[in-house]
Amino acid sequence: MGKEEHVVADDKVVALNYTLTVDDQVVDSSEGHEPIEFIQGQGQIIAGLEEELYGMSVGDEKEVRVEAAKGYGEVDPSANVAINRDDFPQEIPMEPGVEVTLRNQEGRSFQAWIQEVGEENVLLDYNHPLAGKDLEFMVKVVNVREATAEELAHGHVHDGHTH
Ligand code: ZN
């Protein structure tokens, strides 16, 4: 390896195995799954991780520490809202930590997490559960290839299923 086409750079499709550790706990890992695939340089993964991948070759492993600000952001204590239980979608389990996709009045969808379930209201937190946390990634570059013109135009990887 070490040839230029196998080195992570902008507009390359990178396949990456990773393990994410937060506060000494593994919170996410590609182990037992396919590696994640993304187009480098397009902000498709955490900014602080993407920056550290430039120049890595297929087979390279690296430990990457990402501070909260370049990870899921700092915690915004005002980023929450109470929703009346009656207005809460019935198909979603009303339990703390559950991720919810909601639409605002303009029809834009956004993610929130249930913080607290009260007698009348459900308190939702817009902060990502990993906001304010430093992230420790162990990554291994599994594959690097040129993105096709179509993938670049669409802004995502075509794995044979997506178009
Ligand atoms: Zn596409």
Side-chain angles (χ1 to χ4, degrees), residues 150-151 153-158 162-163:
E150 202 182 36
E151 286 173 324
H154 291 192
H156 57 233
V157 175
H158 289 173
T162 54
H163 299 282

Side-chain angles (χ1 to χ4, degrees), residues 3-161:
K3 284 159 72 182
E4 199 178 300
E5 61 263 37
H6 294 127
V7 175
V8 177
D10 282 339
D11 295 344
K12 303 270 189 176
V13 173
V14 180
L16 195 73
N17 277 335
Y18 71 97
T19 297
L20 170 57
T21 305
V22 174
D23 296 337
D24 297 324
Q25 299 245 359
V26 172
V27 296
D28 195 12
S29 175
S30 61
E31 206 178 302
H33 308 277
E34 295 289 307
I36 53 163
E37 278 194 301
F38 54 90
I39 303 173
Q40 176 75 7
Q42 299 204 354
Q44 296 178 354
I45 61 167
I46 297 279
L49 177 59
E50 185 173 52
E51 282 173 15
E52 292 293 323
L53 299 181
Y54 285 104
M56 288 182 75
S57 300
V58 174
D60 284 354
E61 290 181 73
K62 191 175 185 180
E63 206 178 311
V64 178
R65 192 177 169 83
V66 178
E67 289 184 2
K70 283 189 172 178
Y72 290 97
E74 303 291 354
V75 174
D76 176 358
S78 67
N80 52 56
V81 67
I83 290 188
N84 194 292
R85 284 179 77 124
D86 297 336
D87 297 333
F88 195 80
Q90 285 185 353
E91 66 275 15
I92 298 172
M94 245 185 246
E95 289 163 26
V98 169
E99 186 176 352
V100 181
T101 303
L102 296 169
R103 265 171 220 290
N104 66 10
Q105 282 154 338
E106 289 86 50
R108 272 205 16 224
S109 66
F110 56 94
Q111 308 303 117
W113 288 264
I114 298 177
Q115 193 174 7
E116 221 176 275
V117 179
E119 275 178 38
E120 286 177 23
N121 294 317
V122 179
L123 187 63
L124 297 177
D125 187 351
Y126 301 133
N127 289 293
H128 190 279
L130 294 176
K133 303 281 190 185
D134 291 339
L135 314 175
E136 284 171 50
F137 288 95
M138 193 64 198
V139 296
K140 182 176 185 176
V141 177
V142 178
N143 193 37
V144 178
R145 66 168 170 85
E146 294 289 344
T148 65
E150 202 182 36
E151 286 173 324
L152 290 175
H154 291 192
H156 57 233
V157 175
H158 289 173
D159 60 4
H161 305 288

